[in-house]
Amino acid sequence: MRSNMLKGLLLLTGITVTVYLPAQKVQPNFASISTKVVNQSLQVRPGETVLITGTPAEIPLMEALYVEVSKAGGKPYVQLILPEAQKKALMETSNDYLKMPSTFDLIQARSVDCIINTGSTQNPQLYADVPEEKLAASRSGSYVLQDAMTLPRFRMVSIGQTGGIPTETFAKFKNASYEDMLNMFWKSVDADYDKLRMDGESIRDRFAGNTEVKMTTPQGTNLTFRLSKVPPRVNSGLSFNNNPSPTA
């Protein structure tokens, strides 16, 4: 009876109750993603050495990649990145030591067949207070490695682009919804790479060199430009001749 009376009052007063639920964070399928990265993007072969890097936040993904590399016959090795410790070391190490190149990094770059980077930016402002002379010293110590990386002998996949895998602090830094950014990211990484490549090639075929392109929108955009003769590059998460180091 009480329930019926309350229902009648709600109808009479015309009350509309709307409940807004926050976006739910997607639980990524690391097994599916690892299968695509290892077997499609890198095409890991038996006996190849595969280096997997990331911060402690990426350990579940790194574990899945480790298993998949082993299943493909590869030899997986994990390198853990510790951003807070790296920053502390940078601040407390003399500039003379920071300028010394890391021979291990150079040997490692020449020894591995594949690299999978899974890092993320946990704190975009982490290095904001580091003196420029410290950063300059650290950069000078990495020049040898950077030169070696220009002629890579390995295949590499980086999961994520600017900022790596989205984090809550990075989303806040970009004034974006963390849940929306993360959901979009994992859906993209777990996409159908073959279909993505075919769609990309279909679009690429329409962009021949010296073609004039005009872009308009209902909002008033009206741009006209001519394409260069540089062949368009399709980044679909697959390792092909035109894309030796894909970004998933």
Side-chain angles (χ1 to χ4, degrees):
M1 178 71 176
R2 183 181 180 87
S3 175
N4 290 336
M5 289 178 62
L6 179 59
K7 183 177 180 182
L9 287 173
L10 288 173
L11 291 174
L12 289 172
T13 55
I15 296 175
T16 301
V17 179
T18 305
V19 179
Y20 294 96
L21 297 176
Q24 297 298 311
K25 185 170 69 173
V26 165
Q27 294 300 320
N29 187 338
F30 288 148
S32 173
I33 292 169
S34 297
T35 298
K36 292 175 180 177
V37 170
V38 171
N39 299 306
Q40 292 184 260
S41 296
L42 285 177
Q43 300 173 15
V44 173
R45 294 182 286 270
E48 289 190 320
T49 300
V50 181
L51 177 64
I52 304 169
T53 72
T55 72
E58 287 80 56
I59 286 178
L61 173 58
M62 295 166 71
E63 290 176 337
L65 289 165
Y66 188 102
V67 171
E68 199 60 42
V69 168
S70 182
K71 287 166 58 178
K75 302 301 178 182
Y77 293 88
V78 172
Q79 182 172 300
L80 198 61
I81 300 169
L82 305 172
E84 295 287 345
Q86 286 181 334
K87 190 262 181 85
K88 186 177 171 67
L90 184 62
M91 295 291 280
E92 298 182 11
T93 303
S94 72
N95 289 353
D96 288 338
Y97 292 160
L98 292 174
K99 292 177 182 178
M100 296 173 61
S102 171
T103 54
F104 174 76
D105 287 342
L106 186 59
I107 293 172
Q108 181 177 255
R110 291 175 173 173
S111 302
V112 300
D113 298 293
C114 304
I115 297 178
I116 305 175
N117 297 316
T118 70
S120 61
T121 302
Q122 299 297 312
N123 180 3
Q125 299 294 324
L126 182 61
Y127 288 86
D129 60 341
V130 176
E132 177 55 36
E133 59 268 21
K134 288 284 186 183
L135 296 173
S138 178
R139 285 194 294 265
S140 66
S142 64
Y143 286 155
V144 175
L145 180 61
Q146 290 175 3
D147 288 342
M149 296 284 279
T150 59
L151 295 172
R153 304 180 184 184
F154 51 81
R155 306 186 301 284
M156 181 171 64
V157 164
S158 294
I159 301 179
Q161 298 185 19
T162 303
I165 297 172
T167 62
E168 193 166 0
T169 52
F170 183 76
K172 184 177 180 181
F173 182 69
K174 292 294 184 180
N175 195 29
S177 164
Y178 172 55
E179 289 77 13
D180 290 345
M181 180 180 283
L182 198 64
N183 292 350
M184 185 185 303
F185 177 83
W186 286 122
K187 287 179 181 178
S188 300
V189 173
D190 205 11
D192 184 332
Y193 294 175
D194 288 310
K195 183 178 184 304
L196 191 62
R197 175 181 59 84
M198 289 187 291
D199 291 344
E201 290 180 348
S202 175
I203 295 173
R204 182 181 62 187
D205 292 342
R206 302 183 183 184
F207 286 83
N210 206 37
T211 300
E212 184 177 277
V213 178
K214 184 173 183 178
M215 297 177 60
T216 62
T217 67
Q219 288 72 30
T221 302
N222 192 340
L223 297 175
T224 301
F225 56 91
R226 191 171 296 277
L227 299 175
S228 71
K229 295 182 180 179
V230 177
R233 178 172 174 266
V234 177
N235 188 345
S236 62
L238 292 173
S239 181
F240 285 96
N241 292 333
N242 67 327
N243 187 20
S245 297
T247 301

